[in-house]
Amino acid sequence: MSIKTTKSVKQEIRLSPRLFVLITVFGLLGIWGAAILAYKANHFSLVYPLVFAALGSVAFIILIVHLRTRHLARSTKKKLSVLSLIATLGLGSISMLLFPPGSVPDETYHYYNSYHYANVILGIHDDSSRSLIMRSCDANFVRDKFSSYYKSDSGLGLGVDAKGMDYLRSHIFQKEDTYTITTLHSNNQVAFTNAGGVIQSRIATTAGILIGRALSLNSLLTFYLGRIFNLILFSFLAFLAIRIIPFGSKIIAAISLLPMSISLAASYSYDSAIMGLAFLLIALLLRAISMQGQIKVREVIPILLVSFLLAPLKLVYAPLVIIGLFIPRKRFGSVYWEFLFKISLILVCLISIIIWQIPNLGGFLGAENNAATAPTHADLAESEASSPTLLFLFMHPFRTLMVFAKTLYKTGGWLIDTTIGSSLGWFQPSIIAPWFIAPAYIVLLFAASQRYSANSKIISLNRKVLFGIVFLICATLLFSVFYLTTIADTHDSASVILGMQGRYFIPILPLLLLLFRVNRFYYKYDWTTLLPLAFFILTYAYFLEVYVAALG
């Protein structure tokens, strides 16, 4: 009896060499042409258009070379992770040059906190939360560049503009005294301590500052070294998530290449670490609930470790571990090992939260200003100067839900724009993206969430319900936290929650996009590797538009 062997079908992306040459030529012409047009449209330094064109060309050529290389279908995920890594680093480098120091929201606070941690590691003890021991050059950099807090008459704001870019060009290689130490005192508008950011959210930026100080780099180079390390951290975590996740790898790649993700990753924002760890945890948990066979120790340890690191960064993302509670029992082999893992997962998160976040939770547990009774005019006036508390939310669930619904209805467009990044920096009107940018990204995100072959993973309805519930829990906690921490008239039916931005939904966005996967549909051809290229071109064009608008 003869035994028939079956060979795996090799699905390859077949594009003719001539087509690749045409794509390369027209792509480079487009990049350099756009840079030249930007230079001619604005009578500023030629440095930035040349840098944009050079970085864009190098990244584009690398993408084309990798795209030309033929890979089997089983190695598509490997190729996607590499291409996404290259695109993230390339766009992040452009974003660093485009957005001057302090122009990314809250970056000044993240810089102060990172510098404080660098002092702690070096054994330097700051006198108080309102003072920071720094090199004199770094203190001068803070006073000069973060001008809205120190020198309101300097004309150097925190926005994306020609003055900020000229400051970068003139100071990037400036020689400075890197040995003299001084104390920078706060003007009572900002605290310099680690409030709001635990060490794992600052590890990359702190490392950049430490290395910059060790190498005696000037203040601006030291600042940018922190940005570079933060970008590398996010890119590496996203790279791992794409490699690990059993389905939805295109979703992780797509979200990582959104303009808002790139802008945050290429800055001092702790959202860089939060996004990366959230993506990695989602990937680990989806792999755990999807794989067959008994679960291994090498699967369990990363899940517990990443959960421990992520839980205290922002408590609203801790419910992601709920997915781990639905790992099938058959993977553990016995009820005992299942119980041990799942209780350990919960305890790890609780211990991590207790260590780092319990002192910050006290303000949520007080009683609201007579909120349980019918409000008088005096109560209304007083409520405008205070925030509701956790007790108020539980005692008035209908009113709370109404506020949530009104906030979503009135600010839904804003939340979508600030998730994608149609409005970046300090949300300057002059650099808001054209109207078609958001729809273009939405279409790409939807395309990334779909199946790419008949063999792609089909997500059952039960799994979709689980992902939807976890997303809703995290989203509700996000709304609740902002409701508890922002000043609003909680008795006014027209009130909405202040301060909400779409960027806070990016870490849980993969779960939402998985809900839009249509199981009965799949693409005839796998264009996975074209996804990073599409996002790179669109985001590059958008950043160039921001550059032109900022200098205009």
Side-chain angles (χ1 to χ4, degrees), residues 191-478:
F192 295 144
T193 63
N194 59 323
V198 296
I199 182 62
Q200 56 262 42
S201 67
R202 313 289 191 198
I203 189 67
T205 51
T206 300
I209 292 174
L210 286 171
I211 294 175
R213 291 165 67 171
L215 297 177
S216 295
L217 300 180
N218 66 24
S219 57
L220 201 54
L221 286 175
T222 300
F223 177 87
Y224 269 90
L225 204 56
R227 276 188 170 186
I228 291 171
F229 275 61
N230 217 24
L231 174 62
I232 292 174
L233 174 65
F234 171 76
S235 303
F236 177 70
L237 292 174
F239 171 83
L240 289 179
I242 294 171
R243 284 290 185 91
I244 291 171
I245 198 167
F247 53 90
S249 56
K250 277 75 66 177
I251 292 176
I252 300 295
I255 298 173
S256 300
L257 292 170
L258 288 174
M260 182 60 76
S261 302
I262 295 295
S263 178
L264 294 172
S267 72
Y268 271 73
S269 176
Y270 60 6
D271 288 319
S272 176
I274 292 173
M275 292 186 302
L277 288 173
F279 294 162
L280 184 56
L281 180 59
I282 290 173
L284 291 168
L285 293 175
L286 293 188
R287 183 178 68 175
I289 67 175
S290 301
M291 287 185 66
Q292 302 296 321
Q294 189 167 352
I295 195 167
K296 306 294 184 181
V297 175
R298 63 174 178 267
E299 289 183 66
V300 172
I301 293 178
I303 291 174
L304 297 179
L305 177 60
V306 176
S307 299
F308 181 83
L309 294 174
L310 177 64
L313 296 188
K314 278 189 178 178
L315 302 183
V316 296
Y317 305 126
L320 287 174
V321 300
I322 293 175
I323 299 174
L325 303 181
F326 288 85
I327 298 175
R329 177 171 296 177
K330 62 182 180 181
R331 293 219 62 204
F332 295 97
S334 69
V335 177
Y336 171 77
W337 288 113
E338 179 188 15
F339 175 80
L340 182 61
F341 167 77
K342 293 180 180 180
I343 197 67
S344 298
L345 183 60
I346 296 173
L347 288 176
V348 159
C349 293
L350 290 177
I351 292 171
S352 181
I353 291 170
I354 289 172
I355 292 173
W356 280 300
Q357 287 294 353
I358 283 296
N360 299 326
L361 299 180
F364 290 168
L365 304 179
E368 218 269 331
N369 299 319
N370 299 323
T373 61
T376 64
H377 290 292
D379 292 329
L380 289 175
E382 187 176 5
S383 69
E384 290 179 354
S386 63
S387 300
T389 63
L390 193 61
L391 179 62
F392 178 85
L393 266 63
F394 284 113
M395 293 183 65
H396 303 81
F398 180 74
R399 183 180 297 174
T400 300
L401 289 176
M402 286 297 295
V403 172
F404 288 2
K406 287 180 180 293
T407 300
L408 190 59
Y409 174 75
K410 293 186 176 182
T411 65
W414 165 256
L415 292 179
I416 293 175
D417 284 343
T418 51
T419 299
I420 292 173
S422 298
S423 183
L424 294 171
W426 285 103
F427 314 117
Q428 298 166 246
S430 61
I431 63 170
I432 292 178
W435 68 269
F436 56 83
I437 286 292
Y441 279 110
I442 291 174
V443 170
L444 284 175
L445 288 173
F446 179 79
S449 66
Q450 303 308 311
R451 299 169 62 213
Y452 280 72
S453 72
N455 298 323
S456 299
K457 176 71 175 179
I458 294 177
I459 304 176
S460 66
L461 179 60
N462 291 338
R463 291 281 169 82
K464 286 191 175 184
V465 170
L466 172 61
F467 300 154
I469 290 174
V470 173
F471 176 84
L472 285 177
I473 292 174
C474 294
T476 301
L477 289 176
L478 269 171

Side-chain angles (χ1 to χ4, degrees), residues 22-45:
L22 287 175
I23 292 174
T24 303
V25 171
F26 282 105
L28 292 177
L29 287 176
I31 290 173
W32 282 90
I36 293 173
L37 289 176
Y39 168 68
K40 289 186 175 181
N42 300 274
H43 302 288
F44 292 98
S45 170

Side-chain angles (χ1 to χ4, degrees), residues 43-63:
H43 302 288
F44 292 98
S45 170
L46 185 60
V47 174
Y48 282 97
L50 288 177
V51 171
F52 265 75
L55 287 175
S57 299
V58 171
F60 184 79
I61 290 174
I62 292 175
L63 284 171

